[in-house]
Amino acid sequence: MTDTTGQQQPDWSKYLLPVSLILVLVFYFPDAHLLWDAWMNSEEFSHGPLMLAVSLYLLWKRRELLKRPDNKGRFIGVAITAFSIVVYSLAIKAGIENVRHLSTFAIIFGLFLTFGGFAYARFVFPSLILLPFVVPPPSFLNSNLSYGLQLFSSDVSVFWLRSIGITVFQDGNIIDLGKMKLEVAEACSGLRYLYPMIGLGALSGMLFDIKLWKRILFLILAAAVSIFMNSVRIFLTGAFVEFTDMGVSEGFFHLFEGWVFFLISFALTLAVCWLTLTKKEKATIGNGVLKIEPGSETIYQTRSQTPVYAVIALCVCLVPLSFALRSIDPVIPERDSFASFPLLIDGMIAEEDQLPRIEQEILQMSDYYLGHYRAEGLPPITLFAGYYEQQSAGRTPHSPRVCIPSGGWKITDLTTISLNNNGISVPVNRVMIGKGEQKLLVYYWFQQRGKYIANEYMAKFNLLLGGLKSNRTDGALIRLSMPVGTEMSEVVADQRLADFAGELFEILPKFIPNE
């Protein structure tokens, strides 16, 4: 930087940018362990450290851009930084972990844009774009995706098994081969391959000088290969069970789990992406984001330090704010335990039941109740209530419309109806499901701080509002079900569930607190 007399003046922004980044790391530090724990403890995100190393490598290869700051876009950087800080603060208050990680990346991008304009934004963007692929998505989206992939992998592998003459019975995610049952559990959904493969697709697109739509195509192809190969793995496991003894099948299963299978998917993804390139595009390998055209020596005009001071002030203010927000303890309301839940409702007596331990570990509920209410000569009504005293990543109700198909049931009808609660209309999901000759009528809703919600996404929004307004994120999923046979029409079944729910509305507030 030079002044009007031509004398060289120090560019203080070069020193203030590292200071700003250090401030960002200081207020992010309490959350960094959440991402690190996900990388270390969840196989779906175990590729995180490798992706972080690749991001740092990209920064090193593109460091030439740091010598070319410009003025364009600097005030846009201030706006991005300010908005991201607001989002980050709200995410802390509401307890939304993945938004904290993503908004921190956005803050870093805003800082570089503020200090060096579009040139600095070009420098940091390719590295930051890789990291969101290793940030755990919201748990309810992760669960929905996991269940969907489980069912898809089961359907495809069963189709292939039958096509080679193997007799197999499928019950949702259970594949019965006679001598052995294979369960396509959450660990077999393919997410452990899907997430890193998408990151690989993004990285592959950066290696070539290609159009944006083709880089997006790389992402789609990487996801498709991952899902396809997971189905192949399950199919081959089933084939080995049929044609060999169980020990061989278990050895095969473990062999193709983990890194060996990942490397096969890795190589296939690269090969498929390579085949989509033209000869001219293949020749540009290494000329994507890694290639930086040499710049000419430029004397830069004096740049306004106003945006620099603005983002420094924002970062300085955020450090105490973020720690203050974290010091606010969540409010966990007093309630009665489900151990004292009434066993007599609407004239029916309950037979208490328990969920399998593996389901309890997956759902991670604070408390739950499962009971079958019976009356002489009538089909039982099953009540399930899963309560969470504090909902966060991994601890949130799983939507029945996602879980039901994984159990082998088919949803034949799904509508939202209204039930009466002392003159108040309560929205409830009404689901008719079937499996062979069996039919079940299911009612379910989400109950949070006295609100009854049918839509899963509205439940998440209400959870966010609760975290912001009252530091409460407690809530529950309520599900009623009963068999429907030839001796009972759907109209009668609907009336029975509606009457039972009417009694239930009076009981639940003791166990699921209102506002």
Side-chain angles (χ1 to χ4, degrees):
M1 180 187 299
T2 59
D3 60 17
T4 55
T5 66
Q7 294 180 330
Q8 190 73 18
Q9 297 294 325
D11 185 359
W12 291 107
S13 65
K14 293 191 301 184
Y15 307 103
L16 292 176
L17 177 56
V19 171
S20 301
L21 293 174
I22 290 172
L23 288 172
V24 171
L25 293 177
V26 167
F27 68 69
Y28 176 70
F29 184 76
D31 294 324
H33 77 91
L34 299 173
L35 185 56
W36 183 258
D37 289 345
W39 288 352
M40 294 296 103
N41 301 323
S42 178
E43 292 187 358
E44 291 90 341
F45 310 105
S46 59
H47 59 288
L50 176 61
M51 197 66 72
L52 177 60
V54 172
S55 296
L56 294 176
Y57 175 75
L58 288 178
L59 290 178
W60 173 256
K61 293 294 290 184
R62 295 167 58 81
R63 64 189 183 280
E64 178 69 23
L65 288 173
L66 291 176
K67 301 176 182 178
R68 313 176 195 175
D70 62 41
N71 286 320
K72 296 179 181 178
R74 299 179 69 212
F75 283 97
I76 297 176
V78 176
I80 292 175
T81 304
F83 176 77
S84 301
I85 285 176
V86 171
V87 172
Y88 183 83
S89 302
L90 294 177
I92 294 176
K93 185 72 165 56
I96 307 176
E97 293 179 8
N98 62 302
V99 174
R100 299 185 215 177
H101 307 313
L102 295 176
S103 56
T104 301
F105 301 155
I107 292 172
I108 294 173
F109 176 77
L111 287 176
F112 274 92
L113 181 57
T114 300
F115 279 91
F118 290 139
Y120 275 22
R122 284 181 57 210
F123 163 72
V124 75
F125 183 75
S127 296
L128 293 180
I129 202 64
L130 292 177
L131 295 182
F133 294 109
V134 294
V135 172
S139 55
F140 74 99
L141 290 179
N142 200 54
S143 298
N144 290 358
L145 185 57
S146 178
Y147 281 120
L149 289 176
Q150 283 175 259
L151 194 58
F152 177 83
S153 298
S154 299
D155 291 342
V156 172
S157 57
V158 165
F159 173 79
W160 287 341
L161 288 169
R162 288 172 177 166
S163 68
I164 63 173
I166 297 178
T167 301
V168 57
F169 173 75
Q170 180 185 5
D171 185 9
N173 292 329
I174 305 296
I175 301 174
D176 191 345
L177 295 159
K179 65 172 71 174
M180 182 180 181
K181 289 184 179 180
L182 302 177
E183 180 181 1
V184 183
E186 280 194 305
C188 305
S189 66
L191 289 183
R192 67 179 66 176
Y193 308 119
L194 178 63
Y195 293 141
M197 284 299 104
I198 292 178
L200 173 63
L203 181 59
S204 300
M206 294 180 184
L207 296 177
F208 299 92
D209 185 9
I210 54 179
K211 295 184 180 299
L212 177 61
W213 71 267
K214 185 153 284 189
R215 289 177 176 168
I216 296 175
L217 177 63
F218 276 23
L219 297 179
I220 297 172
L221 290 175
V225 168
S226 171
I227 295 171
F228 171 78
M229 290 300 292
N230 189 57
S231 299
V232 170
R233 178 175 61 87
I234 297 171
F235 160 70
L236 292 178
T237 302
F240 265 70
V241 169
E242 180 68 18
F243 297 123
T244 68
D245 60 33
M246 307 254 291
V248 173
S249 70
E250 291 172 358
F252 175 87
F253 183 83
H254 290 293
L255 175 64
F256 279 84
E257 283 274 313
W259 283 106
V260 172
F261 191 81
F262 174 76
L263 291 175
I264 294 174
S265 301
F266 181 94
L268 187 57
T269 298
L270 291 178
V272 171
C273 291
W274 179 263
L275 291 175
T276 64
L277 298 172
T278 64
K279 186 176 180 180
K280 182 179 179 181
E281 289 171 336
K282 290 175 181 177
T284 65
I285 186 169
N287 291 344
V289 299
L290 294 177
K291 184 178 180 181
I292 303 298
E293 296 294 336
S296 58
E297 292 294 329
T298 305
I299 298 178
Y300 298 103
Q301 296 180 350
T302 302
R303 295 183 296 153
S304 170
Q305 296 302 305
T306 301
V308 170
Y309 298 145
V311 294
I312 287 285
L314 288 171
C315 293
V316 168
C317 293
L318 180 58
V319 172
L321 174 62
S322 62
F323 282 98
L325 291 173
R326 289 190 181 91
S327 66
I328 301 174
D329 294 327
V331 175
I332 299 177
E334 294 184 2
R335 55 177 290 274
D336 290 349
S337 168
F338 278 131
S340 61
F341 197 80
L343 300 180
L344 178 64
I345 298 179
D346 198 25
M348 292 181 286
I349 299 177
E351 174 188 337
E352 291 187 88
D353 200 352
Q354 288 189 336
L355 289 174
R357 180 167 297 277
I358 188 172
E359 293 188 19
Q360 295 183 42
E361 292 175 354
I362 292 172
L363 296 175
Q364 300 186 52
M365 299 169 291
S366 305
D367 193 10
Y368 81 95
Y369 176 80
L370 177 61
H372 310 284
Y373 287 81
R374 303 180 186 277
E376 187 175 353
L378 293 173
I381 293 178
T382 298
L383 165 64
F384 169 76
Y387 176 76
Y388 296 81
E389 63 181 18
Q390 184 180 359
Q391 297 184 60
S392 60
R395 292 176 55 87
T396 187
H398 291 201
S399 172
R401 74 172 67 194
V402 177
C403 302
I404 286 171
S406 67
W409 295 88
K410 294 187 181 298
I411 297 178
T412 58
D413 184 56
L414 193 157
T415 56
T416 300
I417 62 173
S418 295
L419 299 181
N420 180 48
N421 178 15
N422 291 326
I424 300 174
S425 179
V426 174
V428 171
N429 292 298
R430 178 192 184 276
V431 191
M432 182 62 69
I433 62 178
K435 181 197 295 185
E437 298 298 323
Q438 303 177 67
K439 291 176 64 179
L440 280 181
L441 179 62
V442 180
Y443 285 4
Y444 76 90
W445 65 90
F446 301 92
Q447 195 161 327
Q448 299 172 348
R449 307 186 318 281
K451 294 182 173 60
Y452 302 86
I453 306 169
N455 183 274
E456 287 85 350
Y457 296 98
M458 287 301 299
K460 302 304 174 184
F461 181 71
N462 184 66
L463 175 66
L464 172 63
L465 291 181
L468 295 176
K469 291 168 55 179
S470 60
N471 295 324
R472 282 181 56 182
T473 59
D474 55 293
L477 167 69
I478 312 298
R479 187 182 67 208
L480 301 174
S481 62
M482 67 171 294
V484 178
T486 54
E487 70 279 1
M488 177 175 292
S489 68
E490 290 187 23
V491 175
V492 175
D494 275 309
Q495 188 60 53
R496 286 197 66 205
L497 286 186
D499 292 342
F500 188 90
E503 297 281 340
L504 199 59
F505 291 143
E506 301 290 333
I507 298 170
L508 286 176
K510 289 177 60 179
F511 305 92
I512 306 172
N514 292 334
E515 288 192 284

